[in-house]
Amino acid sequence: MRSTLLAAAAFAAAFPLPTLAGSDDNSLTVAFAREMDTLNPFLNTTREGVILSRHVWDGLVLRNQETNEYEGNLATGYTWIDDTTLEFTLREGVTFHNGEPFNADDVVFTMNFVADPDNGVNPQRNVSWIKEAVKIDDNTVLIMTDGPFPAALEFLGGPVVILPDQYFQEVGPDGFAAAPIGTGPYKLTENVPGESLTLERFADYYADGPKAIASIDTITWRTIPDANTRLAEMLSGGMDWIWQVPSDQADRLAATGRHAVVNESTMRIGYLYFDAGDRYGDTPFDDVRVRRAVSHAINREAIVENLLKGASEVVHSACFPRQFGCDTDVARYEYDPEKAKALLAEAGYADGFKIPFAAYRNRDYAEAMMSDLAAVGITPQLDYKKYAATRDQIQAGEVPFAFMTWGSYSINDVSAITSTFFKGGIDDYARDPEVIAALQEGDTITDPAEREAAYSRALNRIADEAYWLPLFSYNTNYVHATELSFTPTPDEIPTFYGASWN
């Protein structure tokens, strides 16, 4: 970490960057590591895309981070008519960034467009529950679900945003991705692919919704893949805000007196998965004793204490602990390398084995786990790639063992994680009929207590069979100029429309 900081400082000294006006001209410069594949909110699967979506578009509702209640966003009210029908009363006087008025036609168009699988929404699970939408009048719509789907409001308050029907149909999906339009507190005014986006405060944003009217006039959103470069620009004054900063670097930045550091938990968890369903082929993981051995071999507490630090914690269930339906009272695999060796010997692997091991982020975490596994005789052969390549291999059944993470698209419901990976889809490496049935029940019944009971059965079965080893929750260090007022939230979506210069 010290060498990284020295390299960053040397970079800053060798290539001095101009100090940005920041508070002087009410602008904000932020940096993210990854470029978005597309600016279409229904095709973008990156965390950066989720964050951009929250600024440029609005959904019908928005979950309050403190109360977990759903507040009206583009809608002012909603009612469950029956188990599969939601009625929304829409907010009046709202316009899109191009001046197009918002009304029921936009909601009906959006819902019916994204509900059609031929339109390629990615990921489909965000919209596959939508059957259709029907206009009652300009300010009233019905949204019908494809069977009971009690998590509908959570998705309508997150990834399901509203598109302008007239503009979208005029320019088509490609034109919309090139020049997107929303109703959100910021409008996109410039896109330099691979380099930057420019967001300007939308002067006509409505005043009485759950999102704040933006205070900062202009946001320059830069894509800087190299961590040293991001750090150097922060040190030189060329950047006002960065995140996902390692703890040692964050502490040193805070020591300058020019940078504030805030650590916040996130909904992202790390996990190890095993090919227990023979998608990859015959492996030692066909034996539950081997899966349990790996689970006992990993010192998760040490990884949290020494590498993640901050607000992270060890996780035992295949979900984020504070999501609805996440039963944390499941089988636990404490660090016990001797027990791991005994289980391996019992399963016929006293001499250990070699196994391909995929990962896409946090190489130091992966290497720490590999060291723990080596201590009990297991030799993981690391295949470290970018996320998209690793994901594609996993979904094709080509990876028997992997360290992965999942942020649930900030959906506060178990259906956004456990059902994604254990309901028989392309990410399911267990294919357990008992788990699939329990998740189907939890995803479709409306009584909250019955949902929790169904999810509990699934999560306990997953833990008992060690289909996953849940590892830990993530935290994020946010670093920003001390003059900037910025408050992070646990959903891992920084909201710059709530930021301001002191």
Side-chain angles (χ1 to χ4, degrees):
M1 292 299 181
R2 183 174 181 271
S3 63
T4 298
L5 278 164
L6 289 173
F11 181 98
F15 302 98
L17 296 164
T19 300
L20 299 183
S23 57
D24 291 339
D25 68 353
N26 200 26
S27 67
L28 177 69
T29 302
V30 303
F32 292 91
R34 291 189 294 180
E35 179 185 5
M36 287 171 277
D37 295 334
T38 174
L39 299 183
N40 184 328
F42 288 107
L43 298 179
N44 199 321
T45 61
T46 65
R47 172 60 44 174
E48 288 80 359
V50 173
I51 297 165
L52 182 69
S53 179
R54 190 62 58 88
H55 289 77
V56 177
W57 290 274
D58 291 321
L60 292 172
V61 295
L62 186 67
R63 177 166 53 86
N64 185 302
Q65 292 291 310
E66 295 182 359
T67 67
N68 280 333
E69 298 294 323
Y70 298 104
E71 300 174 349
N73 201 3
L74 285 176
T76 56
Y78 62 87
T79 303
W80 279 102
I81 302 299
D82 55 43
D83 286 352
T84 60
T85 309
L86 269 165
E87 181 181 86
F88 287 91
T89 302
L90 305 182
R91 190 178 299 276
E92 298 183 41
V94 175
T95 60
F96 287 92
H97 299 153
N98 63 348
E100 182 180 327
F102 162 76
N103 56 39
D105 292 331
D106 303 297
V107 178
V108 171
F109 168 77
T110 300
M111 297 300 157
N112 292 335
F113 180 83
V114 301
D116 184 349
D118 290 341
N119 290 323
V121 172
N122 186 22
Q124 269 291 304
R125 55 184 163 267
N126 285 346
V127 297
S128 59
W129 54 272
I130 302 171
K131 182 179 180 181
E132 64 174 331
V134 175
K135 175 180 176 179
I136 303 302
D137 57 44
D138 280 348
N139 300 308
T140 311
V141 296
L142 298 179
I143 296 177
M144 276 72 82
T145 63
D146 188 15
F149 188 70
L153 288 171
E154 183 68 19
F155 282 82
L156 290 169
V160 183
V161 297
I162 304 302
L163 307 173
D165 69 318
Q166 295 177 26
Y167 177 72
F168 192 95
Q169 292 178 89
E170 287 173 5
V171 300
D174 292 340
F176 188 81
I181 293 295
T183 60
Y186 280 94
K187 58 183 179 179
L188 182 70
T189 57
E190 184 179 26
N191 172 28
V192 181
E195 295 185 17
S196 67
L197 303 172
T198 302
L199 305 177
E200 293 185 3
R201 185 174 66 87
F202 183 37
D204 294 329
Y205 193 67
Y206 48 94
D208 54 349
K211 295 182 183 179
I213 294 179
S215 171
I216 293 172
D217 290 332
T218 305
I219 299 173
T220 301
W221 172 310
R222 296 182 59 191
T223 300
I224 305 177
D226 182 68
N228 286 347
T229 305
R230 293 195 301 273
L231 185 62
E233 294 216 26
M234 199 73 194
L235 286 166
S236 70
M239 196 66 58
D240 300 313
W241 181 100
I242 56 177
W243 75 338
Q244 298 176 345
V245 181
S247 297
D248 288 0
Q249 295 180 14
D251 291 344
R252 290 183 175 93
L253 283 166
T256 67
R258 296 183 291 109
H259 306 99
V261 177
V262 183
N263 181 269
E264 178 60 87
S265 63
T266 76
M267 290 180 67
R268 182 172 301 277
I269 69 167
Y271 61 91
L272 294 179
Y273 86 80
F274 313 99
D275 179 28
D278 282 338
R279 289 185 60 186
Y280 178 84
D282 293 337
T283 73
F285 298 134
D286 293 340
D287 192 321
V288 67
R289 293 170 295 185
V290 175
R291 303 195 297 270
R292 290 171 179 163
V294 170
S295 301
H296 283 298
I298 304 297
N299 192 342
R300 293 175 287 173
E301 289 81 2
I303 294 173
V304 168
E305 181 179 351
N306 296 306
L307 296 178
L308 282 93
K309 302 182 180 181
S312 292
E313 59 185 311
V314 173
V315 173
H316 300 282
S317 296
C319 47
F320 178 68
R322 285 173 284 285
Q323 282 176 308
F324 175 85
C326 187
D327 183 359
T328 59
D329 187 17
V330 299
R332 299 191 174 198
Y333 299 92
E334 304 301 338
Y335 175 57
D336 190 340
E338 294 307 313
K339 187 170 185 177
K341 291 177 183 178
L343 284 167
L344 288 172
E346 184 181 325
Y349 296 98
D351 295 329
F353 57 88
K354 295 181 179 179
I355 193 75
F357 180 51
Y360 79 98
R361 66 180 288 171
N362 305 119
R363 189 176 187 127
D364 51 343
Y365 303 178
E367 290 174 345
M369 288 183 271
M370 291 168 65
S371 177
D372 286 342
L373 292 171
V376 301
I378 298 172
T379 305
Q381 298 168 312
L382 182 61
D383 182 14
Y384 193 83
K385 292 187 175 76
K386 291 184 177 180
Y387 170 72
T390 303
R391 176 203 61 205
D392 290 349
Q393 282 188 296
I394 288 171
Q395 293 182 345
E398 299 172 353
V399 179
F401 184 36
F403 162 45
M404 300 294 288
T405 77
W406 190 250
S408 297
Y409 287 87
S410 297
I411 299 296
N412 194 42
D413 194 278
V414 162
S415 62
I417 179 169
T418 317
S419 298
T420 296
F421 294 98
F422 290 99
K423 206 173 167 183
I426 57 177
D427 292 295
D428 189 352
Y429 270 70
R431 305 289 173 93
D432 184 320
E434 185 178 326
V435 173
I436 293 170
L439 292 173
Q440 178 64 21
E441 183 179 340
D443 287 354
T444 56
I445 56 179
T446 56
D447 181 84
E450 292 181 13
R451 289 190 75 208
E452 289 180 319
Y455 288 139
S456 177
R457 292 198 304 274
L459 290 165
N460 275 276
R461 172 77 174 173
I462 292 165
D464 290 343
E465 293 297 318
Y467 291 137
W468 264 19
L469 175 64
L471 295 168
F472 35 68
S473 62
Y474 275 75
N475 70 81
T476 291
N477 282 317
Y478 300 82
V479 179
H480 57 82
T482 54
E483 299 85 3
L484 181 70
S485 175
F486 169 81
T487 303
T489 52
D491 62 358
E492 202 180 359
I493 303 178
T495 50
F496 301 122
Y497 52 78
S500 62
W501 288 104
N502 296 324

